[in-house]
Amino acid sequence: QLQLQESGPGLVKPSETLSLTCTVSGGSISSSSYYWGWIRQPPGRGLEWIGNIYYSGSTYYNPSLKSRVTISVDTSKNQFSLKLSSVTAAETAVYYCARQGGSPSFFDSWGQGTLVTVSS
Amino acid sequence: QSALTQPASVSGSPGQSITISCTGTSSDVGSYNLVSWYQQHPGKAPKLMIYEGNKRPSGVSNRFSGSKSGNTASLTISGLQAEDEADYYCCSYAGSSTWVFGGGTKLTVL
């Protein structure tokens, strides 16, 4: 059974960099069939796609966040990571990592999500 | 890249059918058969319900179905049950390896 688990600081100061890691268990992040993504959800609001990565390291980002986002993969640890720089309070959200299947097409497996609060 | 447009809320009685719309543009929903739908209960992660417009993952009830016409995709839930009460989100491929979600629809089962 595939499981994804987000980890990282729950509190980040404004203007600093948010860093999260997603650990994948029960499956290999190096599978050629999947991409791996980050999605966020501010409290009481909708979902926003942040970006995806393929095991080879190819990355794809939301154009509105592209200048501040870096997603990386560590196949030896079966993990992928998110860095978002210069965060503001408006980026307080639950951050989800997810597997994207279908070459890609759909997000079929999600982590439980982690709340990151941006506040001084 | 703007969020897809969904109604803020819909409601229905047990046993009835409801439809949730998801309106995009010719650059996303209208151009690709890559719309997926997600169900989210409070405090939980989203769950894939429909993908590639009208396909159901294993384990998802056949009461859930999807369709598309032009720039608008739709999710229909038939035989409403209390457990269907949740938020629903659509997602579409938007070209150039990017993805866009809808704003979400709160389904209330009366």
Side-chain angles (χ1 to χ4, degrees):
Chain A
Q1 171 106 1
L2 186 78
Q3 291 190 327
L4 296 89
Q5 179 68 58
E6 305 88 351
S7 60
L11 181 64
V12 179
K13 290 182 168 56
S15 80
E16 296 192 343
T17 296
L18 178 159
S19 296
L20 295 173
T21 295
C22 182
T23 301
V24 179
S25 58
S28 174
I29 204 169
S30 299
S31 169
S32 59
S33 300
Y34 302 105
Y35 288 67
W36 305 90
W38 289 97
I39 298 107
R40 68 182 179 181
Q41 184 173 36
R45 301 187 64 182
L47 300 168
E48 180 181 30
W49 175 72
I50 298 171
N52 282 2
I53 191 165
Y54 194 53
Y55 78 96
S56 63
S58 297
T59 52
Y60 312 91
Y61 298 135
N62 186 321
S64 68
L65 300 171
K66 188 172 184 176
S67 63
R68 298 189 293 122
V69 174
T70 301
I71 298 176
S72 58
V73 64
D74 186 336
T75 55
S76 67
K77 295 182 179 179
N78 229 30
Q79 295 176 333
F80 62 106
S81 298
L82 168 70
K83 291 188 185 300
L84 180 63
S85 64
S86 304
V87 295
T88 68
E91 295 180 291
T92 292
V94 174
Y95 285 76
Y96 294 100
C97 60
R99 184 181 76 174
Q100 193 176 28
S103 307
S105 168
F106 46 84
F107 296 96
D108 63 349
S109 188
W110 296 64
Q112 66 184 23
T114 187
L115 175 63
V116 179
T117 300
V118 180
S119 175
S120 55
Chain B
Q1 188 184 67
S2 299
L4 306 175
T5 300
Q6 298 181 233
S9 63
V10 298
S11 63
S13 299
Q16 287 186 332
S17 294
I18 63 95
T19 297
I20 299 172
S21 61
C22 169
T23 301
T25 69
S26 57
S27 297
D28 40 58
V29 175
S31 287
Y32 309 97
N33 194 30
L34 291 174
V35 174
S36 51
W37 289 90
Y38 302 85
Q39 176 191 66
Q40 186 181 36
H41 287 110
K44 301 295 186 181
K47 175 187 175 183
L48 177 67
M49 305 302 285
I50 294 288
Y51 66 99
E52 294 173 4
N54 59 5
K55 298 177 182 177
R56 276 189 312 275
S58 173
V60 171
S61 171
N62 59 9
R63 297 186 298 105
F64 291 82
S65 62
S67 62
K68 190 184 87 167
S69 178
N71 296 338
T72 298
S74 299
L75 172 71
T76 297
I77 308 173
S78 59
L80 266 182
Q81 299 179 359
E83 68 206 49
D84 299 333
E85 184 162 296
D87 294 328
Y88 290 84
Y89 293 90
C90 60
C91 178
S92 175
Y93 182 62
S96 301
S97 300
T98 66
W99 299 84
V100 61
F101 281 92
T105 298
K106 181 177 179 60
L107 169 61
T108 300
V109 180
L110 302 171

